[in-house]
Amino acid sequence: VQLQASGGGLVQAGGSLRLFCAASGRTFSNNAVGWFRLAPGKEREFVAAISWNGGSTSYADSVKGRFTISRDNAKNTVYLQMNSLKPEDTAVYSCAANRRSYSGIYSASNEYNYWGQGTLVTVSS
């Protein structure tokens, strides 16, 4: 499965963006999906994850209450709604999928097998 993240851009602090993770090649409606981000000079960081049916979600403490992950399996798309953005949210955001069907929810990057190219989010102060 190929993943493509989109929706990034430049936004002022306090603003909002909605990221999209679309799958092609085959459906990922049976698979857990996660969002990660990579900021300059920092290690890859877990942002949010969602189970295959959307019934379970998980968030990093740094985004809890501001970001919301959701999915529409009919559209083969996972979303990341980002509100109240801060300059420290600036990073390249990537989505990833776990290859096991109907499995759990994961925050570790090594649990994900398929990765898409990222989309840049820049938050200005």
Side-chain angles (χ1 to χ4, degrees):
V1 59
Q2 290 82 44
L3 304 178
Q4 179 65 52
S6 62
L10 174 63
V11 64
Q12 288 188 331
S16 298
L17 280 175
R18 194 182 198 196
L19 303 186
F20 303 81
C21 177
S24 61
R26 71 170 181 85
T27 179
F28 68 174
S29 60
N30 300 334
N31 306 94
V33 173
W35 283 97
F36 292 80
R37 65 187 182 186
L38 183 61
K42 296 185 178 181
E43 295 186 352
R44 179 185 289 165
E45 176 187 20
F46 167 74
V47 176
I50 189 165
S51 59
W52 70 275
N53 62 355
S56 296
T57 57
S58 178
Y59 297 93
D61 288 343
S62 58
V63 306
K64 202 170 292 183
R66 299 187 298 122
F67 291 11
T68 302
I69 189 171
S70 61
R71 68 190 302 162
D72 184 341
N73 284 342
K75 296 182 178 180
N76 221 19
T77 302
V78 171
Y79 309 94
L80 185 67
Q81 179 67 41
M82 306 187 296
N83 299 329
S84 302
L85 283 162
K86 304 175 181 180
E88 51 263 43
D89 295 318
T90 295
V92 174
Y93 286 71
S94 299
C95 58
N98 179 279
R99 66 184 172 194
R100 294 187 294 271
S101 296
Y102 312 117
S103 61
I105 187 171
Y106 311 98
S107 60
S109 60
N110 61 8
E111 292 285 359
Y112 291 92
N113 310 102
Y114 307 108
W115 289 81
Q117 287 188 324
T119 184
L120 177 62
V121 172
T122 304
V123 184
S124 63
S125 58

